[in-house]
Amino acid sequence: MVSLTLDNLGASYGRTRILDGITTGRLEGGCLTAVVGPNAAGKSTLFKRIAGLIKGDGKATLEGSKRGRDGICYMPQDTGANAVLTVYESIVLASRQGAGWRVGEGDLAEIDRLLESLNIANLAFRNLGELSGGQRQLVAIAQALARNPEVLLMDEPTSALDLHRQIEVLDFMRRLAAKRGMAVLIAIHDLNHALRYCDQTLVIAHGKLIASGRTADIVTARMLRETYRIDARIETCSQGLPHVIVDAAA
Ligand SMILES: Nc1ncnc2c1ncn2[C@@H]1O[C@H](COP(=O)(O)OP(=O)(O)OP(=O)(O)O)[C@@H](O)[C@H]1O
């Protein structure tokens, strides 16, 4: 199964140093890893650096990969829209990236399954340009998954979704990561979602990795105070799951 390890990863925009010395253990296939931290901490920059969209020092090493760099897919925060294509066409196109232009029945069946799983089959023949923000985000997730990545970097994939859709997508991602053996990194602001769905968590602040490990060990009152400047408690809900209760800005 694939794994991704970051070793002293850094990046700059011009002369401004944005990321510095990001080193992790193995981020394993089959797992969801939350990447959390305040606005402008460097989460998107980290994803772009891992995906090779920006250069920098250090290295991101893939082990057990069949496709090397081509197996890494970055799903950006702003998903944009191309009004000329239908949803279905855009997903077929995405699925062909780096795979040649021949589309078999199996490929189309796989796309149909993806649309069903994300509950967007009803959008298949709509133009991208006429979708709502949330619908566009769901289509962007389908496009990313259609590329069959070994490592998927999702930049705030649920930010435009209603609560029902957020839960549906994160639950689906967890099951799909396990089924495909795909390593999924998700930049996410909702720490309760991280606690519920992500096996492990990386905390980025001011371009540095300040904590990493099992999500329940990482999301603590102390981390929330030091990283987010809020007073909060972690309480166990009636189902036995840890939950962040925010009291006030510190
Ligand atoms: N293309 C760019 N040129 C110059 N600076 C940039 C560029 N892109 C991002 N930055 C800067 O890099 C820093 C980190 O930005 P980044 O988008 O990685 O943060 P983030 O943690 O993803 O933030 P958010 O949670 O707000 O999405 C910010 O100060 C931002 O202004």
Side-chain angles (χ1 to χ4, degrees):
M1 205 180 283
V2 74
S3 74
L4 171 73
T5 309
L6 309 181
D7 181 14
N8 215 14
L9 221 60
S12 304
Y13 289 117
R15 289 190 181 169
T16 311
R17 189 81 176 147
I18 303 292
L19 273 185
D20 205 27
I22 307 280
T23 296
T24 65
R26 278 188 191 177
L27 306 173
E28 301 279 359
C31 292
L32 262 53
T33 300
V35 179
V36 308
N39 288 135
K43 303 178 294 296
S44 303
T45 306
L46 175 65
F47 282 180
K48 289 177 190 163
R49 175 71 189 86
I50 296 171
L53 300 176
I54 54 174
K55 293 194 185 326
D57 41 341
K59 62 179 183 203
T61 306
L62 283 175
E63 283 175 85
S65 161
K66 296 194 182 84
R67 287 152 57 201
R69 295 273 146 204
D70 289 344
I72 301 180
C73 172
Y74 170 56
M75 181 193 149
Q77 209 169 329
D78 306 314
T79 43
N82 183 340
V84 183
L85 295 177
T86 66
V87 166
Y88 202 83
E89 288 165 344
S90 77
I91 298 172
V92 172
L93 265 183
S95 76
R96 297 294 83 205
Q97 255 179 34
W101 290 108
R102 193 182 294 263
V103 183
E105 288 206 358
D107 300 313
L108 297 181
E110 180 65 34
I111 291 170
D112 288 344
R113 274 196 294 276
L114 258 181
L115 291 171
E116 293 289 343
S117 302
L118 289 164
N119 271 318
I120 52 170
N122 59 322
L123 300 180
F125 300 107
R126 297 272 298 275
N127 283 328
L128 288 179
E130 64 189 34
L131 301 182
S132 76
Q135 289 173 328
R136 256 198 327 266
Q137 196 162 40
L138 291 163
V139 171
I141 294 169
Q143 290 168 348
L145 292 173
R147 291 172 61 184
N148 217 348
E150 295 176 309
V151 174
L152 177 55
L153 310 168
M154 307 181 91
D155 204 343
E156 297 183 37
T158 55
S159 59
L161 304 184
D162 66 51
L163 196 50
H164 181 96
R165 293 289 200 165
Q166 291 174 33
I167 301 295
E168 204 169 61
V169 163
L170 291 169
D171 200 50
F172 175 58
M173 288 310 304
R174 192 163 62 171
R175 283 184 281 116
L176 195 65
K179 185 172 160 202
R180 290 187 177 178
M182 168 174 68
V184 182
L185 275 65
I186 303 183
I188 194 161
H189 284 297
D190 188 325
L191 297 175
N192 282 318
H193 284 347
L195 277 166
R196 183 158 171 191
Y197 294 102
C198 298
D199 309 278
Q200 51 191 344
T201 291
L202 310 178
V203 185
I204 309 282
H206 304 294
K208 293 196 162 51
L209 180 69
I210 56 167
S212 65
R214 232 171 49 92
T215 303
D217 297 335
I218 293 299
V219 180
T220 60
R222 182 172 169 191
M223 184 280 269
L224 293 167
R225 192 172 331 103
E226 291 177 355
T227 308
Y228 289 94
R229 295 176 293 120
I230 54 169
D231 288 327
R233 290 161 283 142
I234 314 297
E235 300 212 338
T236 305
C237 77
S238 56
Q239 292 183 351
L241 300 170
H243 213 84
V244 176
I245 314 276
V246 177
D247 291 318

